[in-house]
């Protein structure tokens, strides 16, 4: 027991049982105690899914799918850059483009010819699907992610009002106690909130980084159209593992309920709780014992002092046995006896030292008296 707790116990113990009974039996008290609790936890499974899928989308943007476009154009033969097999086949099918034919040599001179140029393009359905998914991810995080974290909260508000009065002999005693406790779990859960915030910022940065890739910028420059549900089951989307994970995220975001949250809310009134009121009445007496201790000691009879000392001894014995419940009686009594002898020996030693100091002081005092008497004789 700490020194301040021990002193408090002493103050309380110095009031006899009779005085305690008078104090408590005369108490008239009024208790108001209310608890208001609210807890709201939003669902963050979307964060797990995004974190798991982002690497598959990154793989797609690093090696984008392309499509070869053949641009066919009928041009003047002198403007043709390359004569391909397709150009010759086309000419055999369109003899009107032949301007001259030499029967001896078999030479043919066309006036016009089919010109074919090949061009790669990323404007294909699969790429537009990923392009649209990236935009969906950005919108989801910006419009919901941070907001869900901010709306995560837990509050526990307790208010207690206790007024009481009692009479002890001719003394009237009053107490007024008001306690308000506001527990904000969002503060105590700082680490959890901090970690969630870090994860959201991390996934947000990664998704925004996708918008800076050549893949995304190229599609944006092409002004491609975003795709809409349902997603077409192309061979690439069905068979490519990266696209399979991307499609899963698409359907997850499409069907995700942004209002998924767990709320707990209740209010309780303990104003008529006799157990709490009884404890507060005892606390009233304990508070009074601090200021009433001196007077109580002065007014206590010898029997009441013995009762107080006995109660103090009982408390210490009970406290010891509570911490060592298996100690045997013989061993316990042996400890008590040994401590008693040790304390008595120290007290006796202290008494001897005190008596010795007093004896020296008395001797010095007597010597001073004798000196004074001698001086008085000489003067007379």
């Amino acid at each position: 027991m700490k020194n301040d707790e021990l002193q408090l116990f002493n103050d309380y113990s110095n009031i006899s049982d009779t005085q305690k009974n008078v104090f408590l039996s005369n108490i008239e008290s009024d208790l108001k105690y209310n608890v208001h609790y609210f807890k709201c936890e939003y669902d963050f499974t979307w964060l797990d899914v995004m974190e798991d899928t982002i690497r598959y989308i990154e793989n797609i943007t690093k090696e984008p799918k392309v499509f070869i476009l053949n641009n066919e154009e009928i041009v003047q033969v002198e403007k043709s850059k390359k004569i391909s097999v397709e150009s010759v086949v086309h000419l055999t099918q369109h003899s009107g483009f032949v301007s001259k034919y030499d029967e001896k040599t078999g030479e043919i001179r066309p006036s016009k010819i089919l010109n074919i140029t090949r061009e790669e393009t990323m404007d294909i359905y699969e790429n537009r699907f990923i392009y649209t998914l990236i935009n969906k991810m950005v919108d989801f995080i910006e419009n919901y992610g941070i907001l869900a974290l901010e709306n995560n909260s837990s509050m526990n508000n307790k208010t207690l009002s206790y007024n009481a009065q009692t009479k002890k002999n001719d003394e009237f005693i009053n107490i007024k106690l008001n306690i308000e406790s506001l527990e904000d779990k969002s503060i105590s859960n700082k680490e959890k909130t901090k970690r969630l915030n870090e994860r959201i910022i991390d996934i947000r940065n990664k998704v925004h980084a996708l918008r800076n890739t050549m893949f995304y910028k190229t599609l944006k420059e092409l002004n491609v159209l975003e795709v809409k549900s349902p997603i077409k089951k192309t061979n690439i989307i069905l068979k490519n593992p990266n696209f399979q994970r991307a499609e899963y995220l698409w359907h997850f975001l499409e069907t995700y309920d942004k209002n998924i949250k767990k709320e707990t809310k209740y209010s309780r009134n303990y104003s008529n709780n006799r157990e709490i009121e009884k404890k507060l009445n005892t606390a009233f007496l304990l508070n009074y014992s601090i200021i009433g201790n001196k007077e109580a000691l002065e007014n206590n009879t010898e029997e009441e002092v013995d009762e107080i000392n006995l109660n103090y001894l009982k408390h210490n014995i009970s406290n010891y046995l509570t911490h060592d419940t298996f100690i045997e009686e013989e061993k316990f009594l042996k400890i008590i006896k040994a401590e008693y002898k040790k304390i008595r020996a120290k007290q006796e030693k202290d008494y001897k030292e005190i008596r010795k100091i007093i004896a020296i002081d008395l001797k010095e005092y007597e010597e001073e008296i004798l000196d004074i008497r001698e001086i008085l004789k000489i003067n007379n």
Side-chain angles (χ1 to χ4, degrees):
M1 186 180 289
K2 297 179 182 179
N3 290 335
D4 53 349
E5 294 174 348
L6 182 61
Q7 183 59 51
L8 193 61
F9 176 79
N10 286 341
D11 291 339
Y12 184 77
S13 298
N14 285 331
I15 300 177
S16 68
D17 287 345
T18 302
Q19 291 173 322
K20 289 175 185 176
N21 291 333
V22 170
F23 189 99
L24 294 172
S25 62
N26 289 327
I27 285 182
E28 293 181 4
S29 59
D30 177 49
L31 169 66
K32 294 179 181 178
Y33 179 32
N34 295 285
V35 175
H36 302 285
Y37 181 84
F38 174 76
K39 184 177 183 181
C40 178
E41 289 183 307
Y42 275 79
D43 176 73
F44 284 93
T45 54
W46 62 268
L47 186 56
D48 298 327
V49 177
M50 276 199 190
E51 288 174 334
D52 183 59
T53 310
I54 189 72
R55 64 180 183 272
Y56 297 102
I57 300 175
E58 289 172 343
N59 291 340
I60 295 171
T61 61
K62 289 174 184 176
E63 298 181 6
K65 302 297 179 182
V66 295
F67 181 72
I68 306 299
L69 287 177
N70 288 329
N71 296 320
E72 299 180 351
E73 185 181 9
I74 306 298
V75 298
Q76 297 294 328
V77 68
E78 60 272 13
K79 293 182 179 181
S80 177
K81 296 180 180 180
K82 183 179 180 181
I83 304 299
S84 64
V85 175
E86 290 88 350
S87 300
V88 175
V89 173
H90 182 270
L91 186 60
T92 61
Q93 296 171 348
H94 299 81
S95 56
F97 292 154
V98 177
S99 60
K100 186 177 181 180
Y101 173 67
D102 190 333
E103 292 182 358
K104 291 181 179 181
T105 61
E107 182 181 353
I108 298 174
R109 287 199 175 191
S111 58
K112 294 182 179 182
I113 192 86
L114 175 66
N115 189 60
I116 299 177
T117 57
R118 289 178 171 83
E119 181 184 355
E120 287 186 349
T121 181
M122 290 173 56
D123 188 5
I124 61 174
Y125 181 81
E126 290 81 2
N127 290 340
R128 287 189 287 116
F129 159 63
I130 297 300
Y131 175 83
T132 309
L133 178 58
I134 292 172
N135 290 336
K136 277 183 173 290
M137 293 170 71
V138 171
D139 291 341
F140 186 95
I141 294 171
E142 296 297 336
N143 297 326
Y144 174 74
I146 302 296
L147 186 64
L149 185 62
E150 291 175 350
N151 288 334
N152 249 13
S153 61
S154 178
M155 305 292 285
N156 191 8
N157 182 230
K158 303 173 186 176
T159 57
L160 182 145
S161 172
Y162 172 77
N163 298 311
Q165 52 275 333
T166 188
K167 182 181 179 183
K168 178 173 168 282
N169 299 326
D170 295 329
E171 182 181 11
F172 292 91
I173 310 158
N174 295 281
I175 187 172
K176 291 184 179 181
L177 177 65
N178 290 289
I179 299 176
E180 183 171 358
S181 167
L182 180 60
E183 183 181 17
D184 189 345
K185 286 290 186 180
S186 59
I187 297 174
S188 61
N189 290 336
K190 276 184 179 179
E191 285 304 315
K192 182 180 178 181
T193 303
K194 180 182 177 183
R195 178 59 186 146
L196 273 173
N197 187 56
E198 289 173 349
R199 289 174 62 194
I200 292 173
I201 291 174
D202 181 60
I203 197 68
R204 179 188 185 188
N205 291 339
K206 287 180 178 179
V207 175
H208 277 279
L210 292 173
R211 282 185 160 182
N212 290 321
T213 60
M214 180 274 293
F215 171 90
Y216 186 91
K217 288 181 177 179
T218 301
L219 292 172
K220 188 174 182 179
E221 288 174 2
L222 291 173
N223 198 27
V224 297
L225 295 174
E226 293 191 353
V227 303
K228 297 181 179 180
S229 293
I231 301 303
K232 295 178 183 178
K233 302 296 183 179
T234 66
N235 285 335
I236 293 176
I237 293 177
L238 284 174
K239 297 178 180 180
N240 187 297
N242 294 320
F243 279 90
Q244 288 173 353
R245 293 300 304 174
E247 186 191 18
Y248 175 80
L249 176 59
W250 175 285
H251 289 300
F252 180 88
L253 295 180
E254 285 274 296
T255 58
Y256 184 78
D257 182 1
K258 296 182 178 64
N259 291 318
I260 295 179
K261 59 186 176 182
K262 182 181 178 182
E263 283 190 353
T264 306
K265 184 178 181 180
Y266 62 80
S267 295
R268 293 175 183 168
N269 188 336
Y270 297 97
S271 298
N272 296 319
N273 190 297
R274 291 300 303 164
E275 190 64 29
I276 296 175
E277 191 168 2
K278 183 179 179 182
K279 290 179 180 179
L280 286 170
N281 289 343
T282 304
F284 181 13
L285 172 59
L286 183 61
N287 279 277
Y288 171 76
S289 69
I290 297 172
I291 61 172
N293 180 42
K294 183 177 180 181
E295 183 184 355
L297 284 173
E298 292 174 350
N299 295 333
N300 282 339
T301 63
E302 185 176 345
E303 291 76 13
E304 288 175 334
V305 172
D306 289 341
E307 181 184 331
I308 291 169
N309 292 332
L310 181 60
N311 287 336
Y312 181 66
L313 181 61
K314 286 179 180 179
H315 174 80
N316 282 279
I317 292 174
S318 175
N319 191 44
Y320 182 90
L321 293 177
T322 300
H323 288 83
D324 190 355
T325 55
F326 299 105
I327 189 170
E328 296 178 356
E329 181 180 350
E330 184 178 346
K331 182 179 179 181
F332 178 72
L333 293 175
K334 186 177 180 180
I335 292 172
I336 295 295
K337 188 175 181 180
E339 286 300 312
Y340 177 83
K341 288 183 177 180
K342 188 188 298 183
I343 293 170
R344 279 302 188 198
K346 185 178 183 305
Q347 287 178 338
E348 186 61 32
K349 182 180 178 182
D350 292 340
Y351 293 154
K352 285 182 180 179
E353 289 294 326
I354 293 171
R355 285 195 292 269
K356 183 177 179 181
I357 292 171
I358 292 174
I360 292 172
D361 289 341
L362 285 173
K363 185 176 181 182
E364 290 177 353
Y365 175 74
E366 289 174 354
E367 289 176 351
E368 288 177 359
I369 293 297
L370 290 174
D371 291 340
I372 291 171
R373 286 177 178 175
E374 289 296 327
I375 292 170
L376 290 173
K377 287 180 181 179
I378 293 172
N379 290 335
N380 289 332

